[in-house]
Amino acid sequence: MSNVLEKGNIIAKIRIGEDLDQIINYVKDEIYKNGPDNAIILEIISYFKLFQPKYFEKFEQDIIEIMGLFFKHPKIESLVGSVFEMYHQHLKDELGDDYTPMQADILKKIKNLQYFSFSAPTSTGKSFVFRNLISSCSNDVVVIVPSRALINEYFDRLSNIVDNKKVNILTFVDRINTKHAHRNIFILTPERARELFKNKEWLKIDLILFDEAQLSDEQSVRGLYFDSIVRRALKYFSDAKFVFAHPFVENPEAQMQKNGIEIINTTSAYNNYELKNVGQIFYTHDTTTQKFYHFGSDPSILGTRKLEATFDPIETVLKKGGSVLIYVPKAHIYNKQIYNQFQKYISMCRQIESSVALKIISELKDYIGASTTDKSFYNSDMLEKLGCGIVIHHGSMPLTARLLLERFTQQGFCRICFATSTLEQGINMPFDVVYLDRFEESKTLSVKNLIGRAGRSTSKPEFDYGSVILRPNAMSRFRKVYRKKNTLSGCRKSGLRHFFEVFIAPLRLRRGQGAMQGNPCYARLFADLTRMSPNPIKASGGCGPRTPGGFSTGCFSKVSLRHDR
């Protein structure tokens, strides 16, 4: 029997008030049976909230309750709501907090198993679970993240919930404050994590958490280095719990397959969670006419034609005190094209008066040596814009400056953030609107991470949604990326062979074999891969034995990995 969604054109129907009872009843039934795991269902609910707010009020509290968003404390208005509230109280009694069902399942699996690999969308509360888990451990904890920006985020959050007189929160491996501190929390990049193995005699590690673990699938030096760290940790800290967290990955079990972890119900498990906390609405922006149009992620259900919006979504959000992320090429920041292109919205941002925000701006001013009085030599355009809540964020900025800007944004002072790809990975900075002025179809996971930043999951007892805005020529490509499944490679990389094939061989073709001689760029990685190789590798000068790929190992004996992101 066909359902109401199969008739199509759902956006237009909700807008004009047609078949509302049928649509909302179907949506509630789907969430009750399957949970909030269908992005199209949440998209439909978002349109109810947008176009029919008065009608939606009658169902909003029930929908929040059956979505399992217990931290919002919705009003109980039906028998179904009462049943879910009983489930909420059971989880709270068992785990001690207002966890969603997904968060509760993650927490239980980590506590009961030694190995757990999972995937969950952005903005579903993974960080909240991790922080509580880390703070409750009795011995050392290691958190491995892909970038120093994420190190700082973890450090700030953990410093607020852990007594740092009794627990060392460290961003390098070091043995300090042993008289007063009983355990350590290490927040490290893969490059810094190598120091763990030099200090393994005194470490008592309960948990090793690999956040943003999809780094292992990168076809780069860092991907290989990440894998080598995982395998060495499995060897030297075999009693610890291992957790691998990914966003938007279909096969989280790949981490276990490639690292030789046997999937046994009593010791290891994996799960792909597709439950979401927020809905999303999609627009295209015609820059010629300055008009916005609604479009659905699935045209067969939501409508094949775009519908002209009767309002400007960016202007609406800014008037309500919300925030907008605008993803732009770095060149448009350097040549200041963004200021002309988005002048309408920049002019809406008023001077900030908060003492906390002004203190962060003052710290940034002192760091970069800028002046607000000497306009001739030390004037900073970035600081002037920051005073109105306009953040400029890109990878060429000094790390300290980026961290101050991220703190400024996370504390709610940002109105508009112009950013490049540095925000793709993991940094917890949600926005009400994400505007993709640049769309890179080839980077599926990066695009999904950016889209996932649209929509703040607040603690208010109301349904939250965000908006994503694209250029018209990106609409069909966006739908393709949005539906695409992302998978990790489940094959174990064969150490040196993979290293040479992916990294050294292309470099040799570009520069010639002589360029490798004495290059200090690669031995730390080479040494780690050699150590983890199942066969002994001779790495002396001259031509050593050949790998299965046919490469001589002797030419690469002097190597070191310099960069530490």
Side-chain angles (χ1 to χ4, degrees):
M1 185 174 120
S2 63
N3 61 60
V4 67
L5 301 191
E6 290 176 355
K7 298 176 183 178
N9 216 23
I10 296 297
I11 297 175
K13 287 179 179 178
I14 296 174
R15 187 174 186 172
I16 64 176
E18 183 183 331
D19 295 338
L20 294 184
D21 290 341
Q22 287 180 271
I23 297 170
I24 198 71
N25 287 333
Y26 179 82
V27 163
K28 286 177 62 181
D29 191 48
E30 279 295 302
I31 297 176
Y32 179 76
K33 291 176 182 176
N34 305 312
D37 65 345
N38 188 326
I40 294 174
I41 294 293
L42 296 180
E43 193 174 342
I44 292 170
I45 296 173
S46 304
Y47 279 111
F48 270 103
K49 178 93 173 178
L50 176 66
F51 290 138
Q52 304 290 344
K54 290 292 183 186
Y55 176 84
F56 182 65
E57 277 181 7
K58 297 183 291 183
F59 308 96
E60 187 168 20
Q61 299 302 308
D62 263 3
I63 286 175
I64 294 170
E65 191 74 44
I66 62 178
M67 282 178 68
L69 306 182
F70 303 132
F71 58 88
K72 290 178 173 288
H73 300 288
K75 295 178 183 177
I76 309 304
E77 298 180 341
S78 69
L79 177 61
V80 171
S82 299
V83 172
F84 273 84
E85 181 58 24
M86 291 169 65
Y87 179 44
H88 168 212
Q89 291 303 321
H90 166 72
L91 291 179
K92 190 168 184 178
D93 292 343
E94 183 181 3
L95 301 173
D97 218 319
D98 295 311
Y99 292 109
T100 66
M102 186 199 80
Q103 291 174 324
D105 193 60
I106 291 172
L107 197 58
K108 288 177 185 177
K109 282 189 166 62
I110 293 174
K111 286 184 174 180
N112 296 332
L113 302 169
Q114 185 175 6
Y115 309 102
F116 183 49
S117 179
F118 73 96
S119 170
T122 307
S123 301
T124 50
K126 299 189 295 289
S127 299
F128 178 72
V129 174
F130 293 157
R131 290 196 299 270
N132 289 357
L133 185 70
I134 290 167
S135 64
S136 65
C137 285
S138 55
N139 290 315
D140 299 333
V141 174
V142 178
V143 182
I144 297 180
V145 294
S147 66
R148 286 182 289 173
L150 273 171
I151 285 179
N152 187 73
E153 182 178 323
Y154 263 100
F155 185 88
D156 285 347
R157 299 289 176 89
L158 289 172
S159 296
N160 293 328
I161 61 173
V162 172
D163 183 355
N164 54 18
K165 292 182 179 179
K166 296 181 179 179
V167 180
N168 293 325
I169 305 175
L170 303 172
T171 58
F172 290 91
V173 180
D174 204 350
R175 194 175 191 181
I176 60 171
N177 193 27
T178 54
K179 184 176 180 180
H180 301 287
H182 304 298
R183 67 188 186 98
N184 304 286
I185 299 173
F186 299 106
I187 312 166
L188 312 167
T189 58
E191 291 79 12
R192 297 180 187 183
R194 68 191 295 269
E195 300 298 320
L196 291 168
F197 310 110
K198 297 179 182 178
N199 296 275
K200 59 182 182 292
E201 289 79 11
W202 59 269
L203 289 171
K204 296 178 181 178
I205 298 177
D206 276 353
L207 172 68
I208 302 180
L209 167 62
F210 295 89
D211 201 358
E212 303 290 327
Q214 71 276 10
L215 176 64
S216 69
D217 224 40
E218 280 191 15
Q219 296 295 312
S220 67
V221 170
R222 299 201 85 218
L224 291 164
Y225 202 79
F226 180 94
D227 272 356
S228 76
I229 294 297
V230 173
R231 291 171 193 171
R232 291 179 69 186
L234 287 167
K235 177 180 178 181
Y236 291 113
F237 305 111
S238 56
D239 293 331
K241 289 181 181 288
F242 286 77
V243 179
F244 303 90
H246 320 73
F248 305 109
V249 169
E250 285 292 304
N251 61 333
E253 68 273 17
Q255 286 289 356
M256 298 184 177
Q257 293 168 354
K258 71 168 67 177
N259 291 302
I261 300 171
E262 200 172 350
I263 301 174
I264 304 172
N265 290 339
T266 55
T267 59
S268 59
Y270 60 89
N271 207 333
N272 175 24
Y273 299 99
E274 296 184 341
L275 308 178
K276 296 183 178 181
N277 292 354
V278 298
Q280 290 176 329
I281 288 176
F282 304 102
Y283 300 85
T284 63
H285 180 208
D286 188 330
T287 54
T288 306
T289 62
Q290 291 302 316
K291 290 182 178 179
F292 292 85
Y293 297 86
H294 300 283
F295 76 94
S297 59
D298 187 333
S300 65
I301 293 175
L302 298 164
T304 55
R305 291 180 177 273
K306 296 183 294 183
L307 295 179
E308 184 179 339
T310 57
F311 58 93
D312 181 332
I314 301 176
E315 184 179 345
T316 302
V317 162
L318 291 175
K319 284 181 177 178
K320 291 180 178 178
S323 61
V324 180
L325 168 65
I326 302 178
Y327 182 60
V328 295
K330 191 188 294 184
H332 291 187
I333 294 176
Y334 282 171
N335 62 24
K336 300 189 178 181
Q337 178 180 327
I338 55 174
Y339 299 141
N340 294 326
Q341 187 177 348
F342 298 98
Q343 177 57 36
K344 173 185 174 182
Y345 308 115
I346 291 173
S347 64
M348 295 176 64
C349 301
R350 299 288 174 253
Q351 199 71 28
I352 292 176
E353 297 180 355
S354 165
S355 59
V356 178
L358 294 175
K359 182 180 178 182
I360 297 174
I361 294 172
S362 177
E363 287 180 44
L364 183 59
K365 184 181 76 171
D366 292 342
Y367 175 73
I368 65 177
S371 171
T372 52
T373 54
D374 189 343
K375 301 290 184 183
S376 303
F377 297 101
Y378 301 106
N379 183 48
S380 170
D381 191 48
M382 179 183 72
L383 281 179
E384 285 186 3
K385 296 289 190 293
L386 193 62
C388 296
I390 299 165
V391 172
I392 311 294
H393 189 288
H394 57 84
S396 296
M397 299 175 70
L399 178 66
T400 301
R402 293 209 321 258
L403 297 177
L404 287 169
L405 292 174
E406 286 159 16
R407 193 200 313 166
F408 182 89
T409 302
Q410 287 163 350
Q411 294 189 15
F413 302 120
C414 174
R415 291 290 160 264
I416 301 175
C417 177
F418 294 101
T420 61
S421 58
T422 50
L423 283 188
E424 287 173 3
Q425 211 170 39
I427 303 170
N428 188 18
M429 293 169 64
F431 297 85
D432 298 292
V433 174
V434 171
Y435 187 114
L436 299 181
D437 191 46
R438 170 190 183 188
F439 186 82
E440 297 176 286
E441 184 180 357
S442 60
K443 297 184 176 180
T444 308
L445 198 56
S446 299
V447 170
K448 287 188 175 183
N449 262 329
L450 283 170
I451 293 168
R453 305 199 182 285
R456 299 168 180 263
S457 184
T458 67
S459 58
K460 297 177 182 177
E462 55 188 46
F463 179 80
D464 299 312
Y465 69 91
S467 302
V468 178
I469 303 173
L470 311 164
R471 294 294 183 86
N473 60 5
M475 189 169 70
S476 59
R477 290 180 291 141
F478 165 79
R479 283 171 170 159
K480 180 182 175 183
V481 168
Y482 194 65
R483 291 194 296 264
K484 186 176 180 180
K485 305 297 185 183
N486 299 288
T487 58
L488 297 174
S489 169
C491 299
R492 180 164 182 156
K493 297 172 184 175
S494 56
L496 292 169
R497 178 171 185 169
H498 190 82
F499 173 64
F500 286 121
E501 289 176 352
V502 171
F503 190 71
I504 298 297
L507 194 60
R508 177 192 280 173
L509 290 173
R510 291 199 303 271
R511 300 182 181 177
Q513 183 171 327
M516 301 297 116
Q517 298 275 2
N519 190 329
C521 233
Y522 312 109
R524 189 186 308 170
L525 173 61
F526 179 84
D528 288 335
L529 287 170
T530 302
R531 192 178 296 111
M532 296 306 297
S533 174
N535 300 315
I537 302 291
K538 180 182 177 183
S540 57
C543 292
R546 297 184 177 273
T547 67
F551 296 100
S552 171
T553 60
C555 302
F556 306 98
S557 56
K558 300 178 181 178
V559 225
S560 153
L561 191 64
R562 296 180 300 172
H563 62 283
D564 180 7
R565 297 187 184 181

